[in-house]
Coordinates of all heavy atoms in Angstrom, one line a residue:
M1 N -16.6 21.2 5.4 CA -15.9 20.1 6.2 C -15.6 18.9 5.3 O -14.6 18.4 5.3 CB -16.9 19.7 7.3 CG -16.2 19.0 8.4 SD -17.2 18.9 9.9 CE -16.4 17.6 10.8
L2 N -16.6 18.6 4.5 CA -16.4 17.4 3.6 C -15.4 17.8 2.5 O -14.5 17.0 2.2 CB -17.7 17.1 2.9 CG -17.6 15.9 1.9 CD1 -17.2 14.7 2.6 CD2 -19.0 15.7 1.3
A3 N -15.5 19.0 2.0 CA -14.6 19.5 1.0 C -13.2 19.5 1.5 O -12.2 19.2 0.8 CB -14.9 20.9 0.5
R4 N -13.1 19.8 2.8 CA -11.7 19.9 3.4 C -11.2 18.5 3.5 O -10.0 18.2 3.3 CB -11.9 20.4 4.8 CG -10.7 21.3 5.2 CD -11.2 22.2 6.4 NE -10.2 22.3 7.4 CZ -10.4 22.6 8.6 NH1 -11.6 22.9 9.0 NH2 -9.4 22.7 9.5
A5 N -12.0 17.5 3.9 CA -11.6 16.1 4.0 C -11.1 15.6 2.6 O -10.1 14.9 2.5 CB -12.7 15.3 4.5
I6 N -11.8 16.0 1.6 CA -11.5 15.5 0.3 C -10.1 16.2 -0.2 O -9.3 15.5 -0.7 CB -12.6 15.9 -0.7 CG1 -13.8 15.0 -0.4 CG2 -12.1 15.6 -2.2 CD1 -15.0 15.5 -1.2
A7 N -10.0 17.4 0.2 CA -8.8 18.1 -0.2 C -7.6 17.5 0.5 O -6.5 17.3 -0.1 CB -8.9 19.6 0.2
A8 N -7.8 17.1 1.7 CA -6.7 16.5 2.5 C -6.4 15.1 2.1 O -5.3 14.6 2.1 CB -7.1 16.6 4.0
G9 N -7.5 14.3 1.8 CA -7.2 12.9 1.6 C -7.5 12.4 0.2 O -7.4 11.2 -0.1
G10 N -7.8 13.3 -0.7 CA -8.2 12.9 -2.1 C -7.2 12.1 -2.8 O -7.5 11.0 -3.3
S11 N -6.0 12.6 -2.8 CA -4.9 11.9 -3.5 C -4.6 10.5 -2.9 O -4.3 9.6 -3.5 CB -3.7 12.7 -3.6 OG -3.1 12.9 -2.4
T12 N -4.7 10.5 -1.5 CA -4.4 9.2 -0.8 C -5.5 8.2 -1.2 O -5.2 7.1 -1.5 CB -4.4 9.5 0.7 OG1 -3.4 10.4 1.0 CG2 -4.1 8.2 1.4
I13 N -6.7 8.7 -1.2 CA -7.8 7.7 -1.5 C -7.6 7.2 -2.9 O -7.8 6.0 -3.2 CB -9.2 8.4 -1.4 CG1 -9.4 8.7 0.1 CG2 -10.3 7.6 -2.0 CD1 -10.5 9.7 0.4
R14 N -7.2 8.1 -3.8 CA -7.0 7.7 -5.2 C -5.9 6.6 -5.3 O -6.0 5.7 -6.0 CB -6.7 8.9 -6.1 CG -7.2 8.7 -7.5 CD -7.0 9.9 -8.3 NE -7.6 11.1 -7.7 CZ -7.0 12.3 -7.7 NH1 -5.9 12.5 -8.3 NH2 -7.6 13.3 -7.1
D15 N -4.8 6.9 -4.6 CA -3.8 5.9 -4.6 C -4.2 4.5 -4.1 O -3.8 3.5 -4.5 CB -2.6 6.4 -3.7 CG -1.9 7.6 -4.3 OD1 -2.1 7.8 -5.5 OD2 -1.1 8.2 -3.6
Y16 N -5.1 4.6 -3.1 CA -5.6 3.4 -2.6 C -6.4 2.5 -3.6 O -6.4 1.3 -3.5 CB -6.6 3.7 -1.4 CG -6.2 3.0 -0.2 CD1 -5.3 3.6 0.7 CD2 -6.7 1.7 0.1 CE1 -4.9 2.9 1.9 CE2 -6.3 1.1 1.3 CZ -5.4 1.7 2.1 OH -5.0 1.0 3.3
R17 N -7.0 3.2 -4.5 CA -7.9 2.5 -5.4 C -7.2 2.4 -6.8 O -7.9 2.5 -7.8 CB -9.2 3.3 -5.6 CG -9.9 3.3 -4.3 CD -11.2 4.1 -4.4 NE -12.1 3.3 -5.4 CZ -13.1 2.6 -5.0 NH1 -13.4 2.5 -3.8 NH2 -13.8 2.0 -5.9
T18 N -5.9 2.1 -6.8 CA -5.3 2.0 -8.1 C -5.9 0.8 -8.8 O -6.2 -0.2 -8.2 CB -3.8 1.7 -7.9 OG1 -3.6 0.7 -7.0 CG2 -3.1 3.0 -7.5
P19 N -5.9 0.9 -10.1 CA -6.5 -0.3 -10.9 C -5.5 -1.4 -11.1 O -5.1 -1.7 -12.2 CB -6.8 0.4 -12.3 CG -5.8 1.5 -12.4 CD -5.5 2.0 -11.0
D20 N -5.2 -2.0 -10.0 CA -4.1 -2.9 -10.0 C -4.5 -4.3 -9.7 O -3.7 -5.2 -9.6 CB -3.1 -2.5 -8.9 CG -1.7 -2.7 -9.3 OD1 -1.4 -2.5 -10.4 OD2 -0.9 -3.1 -8.4
G21 N -5.8 -4.5 -9.6 CA -6.3 -5.9 -9.2 C -5.9 -6.3 -7.8 O -5.8 -7.4 -7.5
V22 N -5.7 -5.3 -7.0 CA -5.3 -5.5 -5.7 C -6.5 -6.0 -4.8 O -7.5 -5.5 -4.9 CB -4.7 -4.2 -5.0 CG1 -4.4 -4.5 -3.5 CG2 -3.5 -3.8 -5.8
E23 N -6.2 -7.0 -4.0 CA -7.3 -7.6 -3.3 C -6.8 -8.0 -1.9 O -5.7 -8.3 -1.7 CB -8.0 -8.7 -4.0 CG -7.0 -9.7 -4.5 CD -7.7 -10.8 -5.3 OE1 -7.9 -10.6 -6.5 OE2 -8.0 -11.8 -4.8
G24 N -7.8 -8.1 -1.0 CA -7.5 -8.6 0.4 C -6.3 -7.9 1.0 O -6.2 -6.7 1.1
G25 N -5.4 -8.8 1.5 CA -4.3 -8.3 2.2 C -3.3 -7.4 1.4 O -2.6 -6.6 2.0
F26 N -3.4 -7.4 0.2 CA -2.6 -6.6 -0.6 C -2.9 -5.1 -0.5 O -2.1 -4.3 -0.9 CB -2.6 -7.0 -2.1 CG -1.5 -8.1 -2.4 CD1 -1.9 -9.4 -2.6 CD2 -0.2 -7.7 -2.4 CE1 -0.9 -10.3 -2.8 CE2 0.8 -8.7 -2.6 CZ 0.4 -10.0 -2.9
Q27 N -4.0 -4.8 0.0 CA -4.3 -3.4 0.3 C -3.2 -2.8 1.2 O -2.8 -1.7 1.0 CB -5.7 -3.3 1.0 CG -6.8 -3.1 0.0 CD -8.1 -2.7 0.7 OE1 -8.2 -2.9 1.9 NE2 -9.0 -2.2 -0.1
N28 N -2.8 -3.7 2.1 CA -1.7 -3.3 3.0 C -0.5 -2.9 2.2 O 0.2 -1.9 2.6 CB -1.4 -4.5 3.9 CG -1.0 -4.0 5.3 OD1 -1.4 -2.9 5.7 ND2 -0.4 -4.8 6.0
A29 N -0.2 -3.6 1.2 CA 1.0 -3.4 0.5 C 1.0 -2.0 -0.1 O 2.0 -1.4 -0.3 CB 1.2 -4.4 -0.6
F30 N -0.2 -1.5 -0.4 CA -0.3 -0.2 -1.1 C 0.1 0.9 -0.2 O 0.7 1.9 -0.7 CB -1.6 0.0 -1.7 CG -1.6 -0.4 -3.1 CD1 -1.4 -1.7 -3.5 CD2 -1.7 0.6 -4.1 CE1 -1.2 -2.0 -4.8 CE2 -1.6 0.3 -5.4 CZ -1.3 -1.0 -5.8
S31 N -0.1 0.8 1.0 CA 0.3 2.0 1.9 C 1.8 2.0 2.0 O 2.4 3.0 2.5 CB -0.4 1.8 3.3 OG 0.0 0.6 3.9
V32 N 2.5 0.9 1.7 CA 3.9 0.9 1.9 C 4.6 0.8 0.5 O 5.8 0.5 0.4 CB 4.4 -0.3 2.8 CG1 3.8 -0.1 4.1 CG2 4.0 -1.6 2.2
Y33 N 3.9 1.0 -0.5 CA 4.4 0.9 -1.9 C 5.7 1.7 -2.1 O 5.7 2.9 -1.8 CB 3.4 1.3 -2.9 CG 3.8 1.0 -4.3 CD1 3.8 -0.3 -4.8 CD2 4.3 2.1 -5.1 CE1 4.2 -0.5 -6.1 CE2 4.7 1.8 -6.4 CZ 4.7 0.6 -6.9 OH 5.1 0.3 -8.2
G34 N 6.7 1.1 -2.6 CA 7.9 1.8 -2.9 C 8.8 2.1 -1.6 O 9.8 2.8 -1.7
K35 N 8.5 1.4 -0.5 CA 9.2 1.6 0.7 C 10.0 0.4 1.1 O 10.2 0.2 2.3 CB 8.2 2.1 1.8 CG 7.7 3.4 1.5 CD 6.8 3.9 2.7 CE 6.2 5.3 2.4 NZ 5.2 5.7 3.4
A36 N 10.4 -0.4 0.2 CA 11.1 -1.6 0.6 C 12.4 -1.2 1.4 O 13.0 -0.3 1.0 CB 11.5 -2.4 -0.7
G37 N 12.6 -2.0 2.4 CA 13.8 -1.7 3.2 C 13.5 -0.8 4.4 O 14.3 -0.7 5.3
E38 N 12.3 -0.2 4.4 CA 11.9 0.7 5.5 C 11.1 -0.1 6.4 O 10.5 -1.1 6.1 CB 11.1 1.9 4.9 CG 12.0 2.8 4.0 CD 11.2 4.1 3.6 OE1 10.3 4.5 4.3 OE2 11.6 4.6 2.6
P39 N 11.0 0.4 7.7 CA 10.2 -0.3 8.7 C 8.7 -0.2 8.4 O 8.2 0.8 7.9 CB 10.5 0.4 10.0 CG 11.1 1.7 9.6 CD 11.7 1.5 8.2
C40 N 8.0 -1.4 8.6 CA 6.6 -1.4 8.5 C 5.9 -0.5 9.4 O 6.2 -0.5 10.6 CB 6.1 -2.8 8.7 SG 4.3 -3.0 8.8
P41 N 5.0 0.4 9.0 CA 4.3 1.3 9.9 C 3.4 0.6 10.9 O 3.1 1.1 11.9 CB 3.5 2.2 8.9 CG 3.3 1.4 7.7 CD 4.6 0.5 7.6
A42 N 3.1 -0.7 10.6 CA 2.2 -1.4 11.5 C 2.9 -2.2 12.5 O 2.6 -2.2 13.7 CB 1.3 -2.3 10.7
C43 N 4.0 -2.9 12.2 CA 4.6 -3.8 13.1 C 6.1 -3.5 13.2 O 6.8 -4.1 14.1 CB 4.4 -5.2 12.7 SG 5.4 -5.8 11.3
G44 N 6.7 -2.7 12.4 CA 8.1 -2.4 12.5 C 9.0 -3.3 11.8 O 10.2 -3.1 11.8
G45 N 8.4 -4.3 11.2 CA 9.3 -5.3 10.4 C 9.8 -4.6 9.1 O 9.3 -3.5 8.7
T46 N 10.8 -5.2 8.5 CA 11.4 -4.6 7.3 C 10.5 -4.9 6.1 O 10.2 -6.1 5.9 CB 12.8 -5.1 7.1 OG1 13.6 -4.8 8.3 CG2 13.4 -4.5 5.9
L47 N 10.2 -3.9 5.4 CA 9.3 -4.1 4.2 C 10.2 -4.7 3.1 O 11.4 -4.4 2.9 CB 8.7 -2.8 3.7 CG 7.9 -2.1 4.8 CD1 7.5 -0.7 4.3 CD2 6.7 -2.9 5.1
V48 N 9.6 -5.6 2.3 CA 10.3 -6.2 1.2 C 9.5 -6.0 -0.1 O 8.3 -5.7 -0.1 CB 10.5 -7.7 1.4 CG1 11.4 -7.9 2.6 CG2 9.2 -8.4 1.5
S49 N 10.2 -6.0 -1.2 CA 9.5 -5.9 -2.5 C 9.6 -7.2 -3.3 O 10.7 -7.8 -3.3 CB 9.9 -4.7 -3.3 OG 11.3 -4.8 -3.6
V50 N 8.6 -7.6 -4.0 CA 8.7 -8.7 -4.8 C 8.0 -8.4 -6.2 O 7.2 -7.5 -6.3 CB 7.9 -9.9 -4.2 CG1 8.5 -10.4 -3.0 CG2 6.4 -9.5 -4.0
K51 N 8.4 -9.1 -7.2 CA 7.8 -8.9 -8.5 C 6.7 -9.9 -8.7 O 6.9 -11.1 -8.6 CB 8.9 -9.0 -9.6 CG 9.5 -7.7 -10.0 CD 10.1 -7.8 -11.3 CE 10.4 -6.4 -11.9 NZ 11.1 -6.3 -13.1
V52 N 5.5 -9.3 -8.9 CA 4.4 -10.2 -9.2 C 3.8 -9.8 -10.5 O 3.4 -8.6 -10.7 CB 3.3 -10.0 -8.1 CG1 2.1 -10.8 -8.3 CG2 3.9 -10.3 -6.7
A53 N 3.7 -10.7 -11.4 CA 3.1 -10.5 -12.7 C 3.8 -9.2 -13.4 O 3.1 -8.4 -14.0 CB 1.6 -10.3 -12.6
G54 N 5.1 -9.1 -13.3 CA 5.8 -8.1 -14.0 C 5.8 -6.7 -13.3 O 6.4 -5.8 -13.7
R55 N 5.1 -6.6 -12.1 CA 5.2 -5.4 -11.4 C 5.7 -5.6 -10.0 O 5.6 -6.7 -9.5 CB 3.8 -4.7 -11.4 CG 2.8 -5.3 -10.5 CD 1.5 -4.5 -10.5 NE 0.8 -4.8 -11.8 CZ 0.2 -3.9 -12.5 NH1 0.2 -2.7 -12.2 NH2 -0.4 -4.3 -13.6
T56 N 6.2 -4.6 -9.4 CA 6.8 -4.8 -8.1 C 5.8 -4.4 -7.0 O 5.1 -3.4 -7.1 CB 8.0 -3.9 -7.9 OG1 9.0 -4.2 -9.0 CG2 8.7 -4.1 -6.6
S57 N 5.7 -5.3 -6.1 CA 4.8 -5.0 -4.9 C 5.7 -5.0 -3.7 O 6.6 -5.8 -3.5 CB 3.7 -6.1 -4.8 OG 2.8 -6.0 -5.8
T58 N 5.4 -4.0 -2.8 CA 6.1 -3.9 -1.6 C 5.1 -4.3 -0.5 O 4.0 -3.9 -0.4 CB 6.5 -2.5 -1.3 OG1 7.3 -2.1 -2.4 CG2 7.4 -2.4 -0.1
F59 N 5.6 -5.2 0.4 CA 4.8 -5.6 1.5 C 5.6 -6.0 2.7 O 6.8 -6.1 2.7 CB 3.9 -6.8 1.1 CG 4.7 -8.0 0.9 CD1 4.8 -9.0 1.9 CD2 5.3 -8.3 -0.4 CE1 5.5 -10.2 1.7 CE2 6.0 -9.4 -0.6 CZ 6.1 -10.4 0.4
C60 N 4.9 -6.1 3.8 CA 5.5 -6.5 5.1 C 5.4 -8.0 5.2 O 4.2 -8.5 5.3 CB 4.9 -5.8 6.3 SG 5.4 -6.4 7.8
P61 N 6.4 -8.8 5.3 CA 6.3 -10.2 5.5 C 5.7 -10.7 6.7 O 5.2 -11.8 6.9 CB 7.8 -10.7 5.4 CG 8.6 -9.5 5.7 CD 7.8 -8.3 5.3
R62 N 5.6 -9.8 7.7 CA 5.0 -10.1 9.0 C 3.5 -10.0 8.9 O 2.7 -10.8 9.4 CB 5.5 -9.3 10.1 CG 6.8 -9.8 10.7 CD 7.0 -9.2 12.1 NE 8.3 -8.7 12.3 CZ 8.7 -8.1 13.4 NH1 7.8 -7.9 14.3 NH2 9.9 -7.7 13.5
C63 N 3.1 -8.8 8.3 CA 1.6 -8.5 8.2 C 1.0 -9.3 7.1 O -0.2 -9.6 7.2 CB 1.4 -7.1 8.0 SG 2.0 -6.0 9.4
Q64 N 1.7 -9.5 6.1 CA 1.2 -10.2 4.9 C 0.7 -11.6 5.3 O 1.5 -12.4 5.9 CB 2.2 -10.3 3.8 CG 1.8 -10.9 2.6 CD 0.8 -10.0 1.8 OE1 0.8 -8.9 2.0 NE2 0.0 -10.6 1.0
K65 N -0.5 -12.0 4.9 CA -0.9 -13.3 5.3 C -0.6 -14.3 4.1 O -0.7 -14.0 3.0 CB -2.4 -13.3 5.4 CG -2.9 -12.3 6.5 CD -3.1 -12.9 7.8 CE -3.0 -11.9 8.9 NZ -4.1 -11.0 8.9
Ligands
LIG1 ZN1 4.1 -5.3 9.3

């Protein structure tokens, strides 16, 4: 059962823990990374991408605090 869960979610979990210095609300941005212009899975708002410290972050302007 556990092995099954790992097989199913392993890569997702790894994506979640990228060594990006992500903190707090920016965790949210990670689930929508690379999806700028698409609707937010949480609130339906349009996702936007911004460049932060040389890298692009995608986030929802409504959910983002
Ligand atoms: Zn949202």
Side-chain angles (χ1 to χ4, degrees):
M1 200 164 163
L2 180 61
R4 215 160 140 201
I6 293 170
S11 64
T12 301
I13 291 168
R14 208 174 310 141
D15 287 347
Y16 233 91
R17 298 182 61 102
T18 51
D20 217 39
V22 176
E23 48 186 85
F26 270 108
Q27 270 191 342
N28 213 21
F30 261 65
S31 60
V32 298
Y33 185 78
K35 293 184 179 173
E38 294 185 24
C40 171
C43 75
T46 302
L47 302 173
V48 299
S49 65
V50 294
K51 264 200 166 174
V52 179
R55 77 180 73 222
T56 303
S57 287
T58 305
F59 68 95
C60 171
R62 279 203 223 174
C63 297
Q64 181 73 25
K65 304 262 159 69

